[in-house]
Amino acid sequence: MKKLTRPFYLSILTSTLLSALLFILDLFNDLKEFKIIAAFFICSSLILYIIFKYFLFDRLNKIVSRIDPQFKGEPDFIHELDLTIERWQKERTGEIERLKKLENYRKEFLGNVGHELKTPIFNIQGYIMTLLDGGLEDPSINRSYLQRAEKSVNRMVSLVDDLEAITQLESGELDLEFSTFDLIPIIRELIISHEYRAQGKHITIMLNYFRTKTVIVRADKFRIRQVLTNLIVNSIKYGKEYGETEIRIHEVGDVIRVEVSDNGIGIPAEHLPRLFERFYRVDKSRSREMGGTGLGLAIVKHILEAHGQSINVMSTVGAGSVFSFTLEKGQDS
């Protein structure tokens, strides 16, 4: 049987002592009234015991046990019940606050997606309407407008692809394909592939690693290429004309640290904590003019976290930014 509360123990003890006292008095006074009173108190105690034990305390125990599985029905039941309800209230309050934040996040996310899609959709609509209104027969604009429409379509496709990638990363549905590979050839290949983009702003991309040996890492090769691509493109996009993007590699214990730095416009300190959030932009108008989906850095963060690694950023307004991340060091095969 479960333990009763202290107050109930006291009621049983009081009734027992009173009954014993009345019995003693009855021996000396032979008063039937005392017998009746004693019997009344004993019966009342038993009835109260049954009511409190089986109809109140047991049911309360079951209810509280569902709220708190660790609840064991301590002797001081009322105090323990009060503490359990207080804990439950604090937990529910925290849960409500978390749900409110998620709801606000959901609204912000949907608003951002709608805004990002709205621009290319309106552009495509405008180009097609112009072509249908006679521009299709005008050789001076028809090809140009079709190319612009294609560019907007590609932007929409990129947004959908990035949304799909980040959703898989956040939900843990994306399986990484780990392998051991040399990081240097990938970096050199990316420098060549983005050289034309950099030349448009007279930016020099360089790899600052003077050792001749390879840099072997263990990671998902495709995803790390994606990380480096996003960071290099960002450094060019926000770099200043006649500036430079520098990629540095350091071996630190069991990890390889990769840094992508630029001497561009920099990022104000108040924006750094939110820089890796989805769709977060430091300068919204300027960022959208430069293109991109606003998901690049969020994808970078989730890819590295899926690798069990992290990314950091240091930036000074007017002096540039440095993004650094780590990778597990691999073994030469």
Side-chain angles (χ1 to χ4, degrees), residues 45-74:
S45 298
L46 290 172
I47 292 171
L48 286 172
Y49 175 85
I50 293 170
I51 291 174
F52 279 93
K53 176 66 174 68
Y54 294 101
F55 292 95
L56 182 60
F57 291 136
D58 280 1
R59 294 189 179 185
L60 282 174
N61 267 319
K62 290 179 181 178
I63 293 171
V64 179
S65 295
R66 291 181 181 179
I67 296 174
D68 184 2
Q70 297 180 349
F71 180 78
K72 299 178 180 179
E74 298 297 328

Side-chain angles (χ1 to χ4, degrees), residues 124-141:
I124 294 169
Q125 184 183 39
Y127 299 142
I128 292 176
M129 288 179 65
T130 301
L131 292 171
L132 290 175
D133 287 343
L136 193 61
E137 286 75 31
D138 187 345
S140 63
I141 66 169

Side-chain angles (χ1 to χ4, degrees), residues 162-173:
D162 284 351
L163 282 171
E164 183 180 14
I166 200 169
T167 300
Q168 290 177 328
L169 286 164
E170 287 182 341
S171 63
E173 296 176 358

